[in-house]
Amino acid sequence: MSPRFYQELSEWWPLFSPASQYPEEAADLLRRLAPLPPPGSKTMLELGSGGDSLAFHLKDQFRLTLTDLSTGMLEQNRAINP
């Protein structure tokens, strides 16, 4: 994706990459991290999280810290993952 998409057009992110497209990817990641701690007892840092539709599926398991250089993507991230 181009920097323009991540900056000027970031409000369109949910249309291109909605959280509904990520349950299998999240399930695969959780399997790879097994055994999992009790929900909410561990933290996870994601660098370059973008609009983070993946985090939507992980926020019940971890206390998440999501980062990105794009302020527009962080705004989308906050909307998806309040």
Side-chain angles (χ1 to χ4, degrees):
M1 304 273 171
S2 72
R4 183 172 181 228
F5 184 78
Y6 279 96
Q7 295 294 337
E8 300 163 36
L9 303 174
S10 61
E11 67 269 10
W12 294 95
W13 181 256
L15 296 174
F16 291 105
S17 187
S20 63
Q21 293 182 351
Y22 288 83
E24 294 86 11
E25 186 175 341
D28 180 59
L29 178 60
L30 292 173
R31 276 193 302 277
R32 292 170 189 270
L33 295 174
L36 293 172
S41 67
K42 295 293 181 184
T43 60
M44 179 181 281
L45 170 65
E46 185 173 357
L47 304 173
S49 61
D52 222 331
S53 298
L54 178 62
F56 177 83
H57 300 282
L58 303 175
K59 63 185 173 188
D60 291 336
Q61 183 66 40
F62 299 98
R63 292 183 313 233
L64 299 169
T65 301
L66 308 171
T67 65
D68 201 279
L69 292 175
S70 167
T71 56
M73 290 307 248
L74 287 175
E75 288 173 15
Q76 293 305 311
N77 205 325
R78 286 184 195 101
I80 295 168
N81 304 299

